[in-house]
């Protein structure tokens, strides 16, 4: 069937879609439109209303095949599209798609190429079970923009995702490559991010629709133990894997926080995991001398914005069902006061604060651009290419800082926080390079570091409790003194351990 595009200048027929997706807040739409119209190479294509119906079977057979099926309507014409398994690197989406004009609003699976289906798939049985799960109806405004040697379509979508009675606003910006090189998507997106607050968008319209239709559980993400390194363990490829993993998890954890399905204590735990991803990215760029002005300033700003997480962790510790207060005098009062303080911290509202600042999206896009440059072998790394040697030196440097802080450490909050920062670097580098070493030695060593770090969190939690309930300060000071003795013992134990990176590499 001959493809007649609903929109001129879009890819014809079947192609691999390459696009960068950004989310934007509705209050920033008009400044964005003004900015895009004023770009020297911008050709405004106007706005049209699109209706989109997404189909699957009751058992989500297409979803299980990692396929998405929709029928799009515009100006009385209809097009069916199926997208097959693809890849998201940072916020850059690459996914094969197949487009065919149809006469109505019901898709016909037999019109798609036979080779996209598993050989054992019964297409007619699938067809009979198809029904509409959800819809995305929105106004799409389009611009065609030349960036370097590439032609890029910028599409601004504003509307709603609906599944039965459930509705969710839709406001996103897509940069799709029409011709040229995918690397040119990033400079154009960065120009936008310098002027308008945006952020990377990992979740597609279809993913959000499935979730809204209750055909997908709220997002979950297992705690990352160690990053999987590529088989050849080439330095640049390994660094790329670390950056990609941390950046992807940043977006997933952010999405989980946005869903608001957890209590404040659980949200604090998610924030801590998100901050660890960001700290790992910062640490790696620092160690490999890959910072530019945007990333250097962006990470410094973001560290300040995320400072609330420390206090959140202390309060969450006091609020937990297994809170360490036990039968201490005033335990119930401390718990109740900590609950109030945690609510006042507004851990959910912190997302909105970040999303209103251009530096957030600028930093994310700078990281995606660096990641793409590494994968295209366009970024040089100084020094040796020996991954094991690099891993040894980075971990040794971090550990020497911990040793210095232990040697001069007292039982003061400031001292413990400095030590906690050093331990964090040690644990993050263990997460990044841990797969290089035998399990037993690595696990034992990092478990001790984690135990020491947790002890410091508890010490600081008692300090917060004393501020919340001053009448309990004397009792809490006694508890802190006992805890300081335990921390001192752990410090000595850690110092006596032979670091696992001093042993053989697997």
């Amino acid at each position: 069937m001959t493809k007649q595009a609903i929109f001129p200048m879009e890819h014809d027929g079947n192609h691999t879609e390459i696009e960068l997706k950004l989310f934007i807040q509705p209050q920033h739409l008009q400044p964005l439109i003004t900015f895009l119209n004023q770009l020297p190479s911008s050709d405004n294509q106007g706005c049209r209303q699109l209706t989109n119906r997404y189909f699957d079977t009751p058992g989500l057979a297409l979803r299980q095949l990692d396929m998405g099926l929709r029928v799009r309507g515009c100006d009385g014409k209809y097009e069916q599209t199926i997208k097959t398994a693809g890849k998201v690197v940072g916020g850059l989406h690459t996914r094969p798609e197949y487009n065919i004009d149809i006469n109505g609003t019901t898709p016909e699976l037999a019109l798609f190429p036979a080779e996209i289906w598993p050989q054992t798939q019964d297409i007619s049985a699938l067809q009979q079970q198809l029904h509409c799960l959800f819809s995305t109806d929105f106004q799409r405004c389009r611009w065609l923009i030349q960036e370097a040697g590439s032609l890029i379509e910028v599409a601004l979508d504003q509307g709603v995702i609906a599944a039965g009675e459930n509705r969710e606003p839709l406001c996103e910006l897509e940069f799709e490559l029409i011709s040229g090189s995918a690397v040119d998507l990033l400079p154009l997106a960065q120009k936008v991010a310098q002027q308008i607050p945006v952020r990377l968008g990992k979740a597609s319209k279809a993913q959000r629709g499935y979730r809204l239709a209750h055909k997908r559980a709220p997002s979950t993400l297992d705690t990352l133990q160690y990053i999987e390194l590529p088989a050849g363990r080439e330095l640049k490829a390994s660094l790329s894997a670390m950056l990609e993993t941390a950046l992807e998890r940043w977006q997933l954890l952010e999405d989980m926080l946005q869903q608001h399905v957890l209590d404040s204590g659980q949200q604090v735990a998610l924030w801590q995991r998100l901050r660890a991803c960001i700290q790992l990215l910062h640490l790696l760029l620092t160690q490999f001398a890959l910072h530019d002005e945007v990333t250097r300033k962006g990470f410094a700003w973001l560290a300040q914005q995320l400072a609330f997480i420390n206090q959140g962790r202390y309060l969450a510790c006091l609020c937990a069902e297994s809170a360490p207060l036990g039968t201490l005098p005033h335990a119930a009062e401390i718990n109740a006061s900590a609950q109030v303080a945690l609510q006042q911290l507004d851990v959910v509202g912190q997302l909105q604060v970040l999303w209103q600042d251009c530096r957030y999206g600028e930093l994310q896009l700078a990281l995606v651009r660096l990641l793409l440059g590494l994968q295209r072998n366009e970024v040089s790394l100084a020094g040796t290419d020996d991954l094991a040697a690099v891993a040894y030196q980075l971990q040794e440097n971090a550990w020497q800082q911990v040793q210095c802080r232990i040697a001069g450490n007292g039982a003061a909050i400031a001292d413990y926080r400095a030590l906690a920062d050093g331990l964090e670097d040690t644990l993050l580098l263990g997460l990044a390079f841990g797969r290089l070493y035998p399990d037993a030695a690595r696990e034992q060593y990092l478990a001790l570091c984690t135990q020491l770090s947790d002890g410091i969190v508890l010490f600081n939690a008692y300090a917060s409790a004393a501020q919340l309930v001053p009448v309990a300060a004397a009792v809490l000071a006694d508890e802190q003194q006992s805890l300081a003795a335990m921390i001192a013992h752990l410090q000595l134990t850690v110092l006596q351990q032979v670091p696992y990176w001093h042993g053989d590499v697997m």
Side-chain angles (χ1 to χ4, degrees), residues 316-490:
C317 182
L318 298 172
C319 295
E321 290 184 6
S322 57
L325 302 171
T327 58
L328 288 178
H330 309 288
E333 187 178 354
I334 292 171
N335 183 280
S337 297
Q339 294 277 5
V340 172
L342 189 55
Q343 290 297 324
Q344 292 174 341
L345 202 57
D346 188 21
V347 292
V348 173
Q350 300 292 339
L351 270 178
Q352 292 295 329
V353 175
L354 295 179
W355 293 346
Q356 298 304 316
D357 198 299
C358 287
R359 286 170 287 190
Y360 191 77
E362 280 190 275
L363 176 58
Q364 288 185 325
L365 287 169
L367 292 169
V368 174
R369 189 170 185 176
L370 172 61
L371 178 58
L372 194 59
L374 280 168
Q375 294 179 343
R376 294 170 61 90
N377 204 30
E378 296 171 349
V379 175
S380 298
L381 300 179
T384 178
D385 289 332
D386 185 340
L387 178 63
V390 170
Y392 177 91
Q393 194 57 56
L394 294 181
Q395 292 173 106
E396 190 70 11
N397 291 345
W399 179 235
Q400 287 174 4
Q401 293 298 315
V402 170
Q403 288 179 304
C404 291
R405 287 166 177 168
I406 288 178
N409 198 20
I413 291 176
D415 295 328
Y416 281 157
R417 285 180 179 169
L419 175 57
D421 291 341
L423 287 168
E424 185 71 20
D425 285 354
T426 296
L427 291 168
L428 289 173
L429 289 170
L431 181 148
F433 297 104
R435 289 296 186 198
L436 295 174
Y437 308 99
D439 291 348
R442 179 196 64 207
E443 292 295 327
Q444 180 181 5
Y445 193 87
L446 292 178
L448 277 172
C449 290
T450 300
Q451 190 176 357
L452 179 54
S453 179
D454 290 344
I456 293 171
V457 170
L458 182 54
F459 183 93
N460 288 324
Y462 283 140
S464 295
Q467 292 178 338
L468 290 170
V469 184
V471 70
V475 173
L476 291 166
D478 291 340
E479 293 296 318
Q480 283 184 296
Q481 187 173 356
S482 298
L483 191 56
M486 186 197 76
I487 291 174
H489 174 72
L490 283 172

Side-chain angles (χ1 to χ4, degrees), residues 6-7 45-53 72-78 136-142 156-160 167 170:
I6 291 178
F7 298 124
Q45 301 292 295
C47 302
R48 290 184 177 179
Q49 190 69 28
L50 303 182
T51 62
N52 303 271
R53 302 293 179 265
R72 169 168 291 173
C74 180
D75 296 339
K77 298 180 181 179
Y78 296 93
T136 64
D137 297 336
F138 52 86
Q139 182 188 66
R140 167 164 289 182
C141 300
R142 298 170 57 247
L156 173 61
D157 295 341
Q158 183 182 17
V160 65
R167 302 171 72 82
L170 171 66

Side-chain angles (χ1 to χ4, degrees), residues 37 67 70 99 129 174 202 231 245 292 368 389 399 463 484:
N37 284 333
M67 290 180 166
R70 76 163 184 240
N99 307 294
Q129 298 180 67
E174 295 179 355
K202 181 174 176 62
T245 299
D292 60 17
V368 174
W399 179 235

Side-chain angles (χ1 to χ4, degrees), residues 55-73:
F55 293 80
D56 208 330
T57 70
L60 304 184
L62 293 176
R63 189 71 173 167
Q64 293 172 23
L65 294 172
D66 200 12
M67 290 180 166
L69 173 65
R70 76 163 184 240
V71 172
R72 169 168 291 173

